[in-house]
Amino acid sequence: NAGVMQNPRHLVRRRGQEARLRCSPMKGHSHVYWYRQLPEEGLKFMVYLQKENIIDESGMPKERFSAEFPKEGPSILRIQQVVRGDSAAYFCASSRVTGDTEAFFGQGTRLTVV
Amino acid sequence: GESVGLHLPTLSVQEGDNSIINCAYSNSASDYFIWYKQESGKGPQFIIDIRSNMDKRQGQRVTVLLNKTVKHLSLQIAATQPGDSAVYFCAENQGKDMRFGAGTRLTVKP
């Protein structure tokens, strides 16, 4: 059973381009969480999704950021018109259910905006 | 509570000593808590969890203590080893999603 898979591991984008980050949850997991981490800082919650539903997006910036978790395929975190301040590590976690079970993390995507 | 742009506090211990890492959580309704370990360049790894109906849980070399009265969680690592050097986060499940504390960087001196 493969763990949470994120790709790409590293992504370089020029200012103004779009960044697409992918997360394939563990087999049997239908809950996906996205977090952002700046160097030497903690994990900041962005969005929580179930299949085809956004459950909580209270941590998402209001503009340029969107997330989806389609019925088939990975969850996608999309950042439009990237700016230097978007440079960070973006982690995805998945869980079987929410509330009382651990979430497993991927290795993250490190986005660098140049 | 949730980390919002805070730089990591640090804890430095001698190899072989015990380490205690503390965490304050925000929501008295949270009923499930997890400690994660994050090594440089990697994603967080599950260490140990505890539910709110318990006040102590032990694993291999690790113990988590939960004090619901003061909303405090601690992770104790016995006989700390160089491989324990990492950032440690507590996470609370608030019923619909998981929120992380600010984290503590543990450095083990040989």
Side-chain angles (χ1 to χ4, degrees), chain B residues 76-108:
Chain B
Q76 300 177 3
I77 305 173
T80 314
Q81 301 168 0
D84 295 327
S85 293
V87 177
Y88 290 82
F89 294 98
C90 69
E92 59 177 305
N93 194 299
Q94 298 183 349
K96 57 175 181 174
D97 52 48
M98 192 167 54
R99 302 297 173 109
F100 283 79
T104 298
R105 178 175 294 286
L106 175 66
T107 302
V108 181

Side-chain angles (χ1 to χ4, degrees), chain A residues 35 37 40 48 56 100 103, chain B residues 36 51 96-98 105:
Chain A
Y35 295 85
Q37 187 177 40
E40 293 302 302
Y48 161 43
D56 180 0
D100 64 352
Chain B
Y36 285 91
R51 302 187 194 287
K96 57 175 181 174
D97 52 48
M98 192 167 54
R105 178 175 294 286

Side-chain angles (χ1 to χ4, degrees), chain B residues 51-64:
Chain B
R51 302 187 194 287
S52 59
N53 61 351
M54 304 169 70
D55 52 21
K56 181 179 179 179
R57 190 162 188 226
Q58 287 185 289
Q60 187 179 16
R61 281 203 307 120
V62 294
T63 301
V64 55

Side-chain angles (χ1 to χ4, degrees), chain A residues 57-71:
Chain A
E57 58 181 345
S58 59
M60 289 275 274
K62 294 288 184 278
E63 297 176 347
R64 302 187 299 108
F65 284 71
S66 62
E68 63 176 9
F69 188 16
K71 188 177 180 182

Side-chain angles (χ1 to χ4, degrees), chain B residues 21-32:
Chain B
I21 300 170
N22 297 303
C23 178
Y25 63 94
S26 58
N27 189 340
S28 56
S30 296
D31 57 5
Y32 180 60

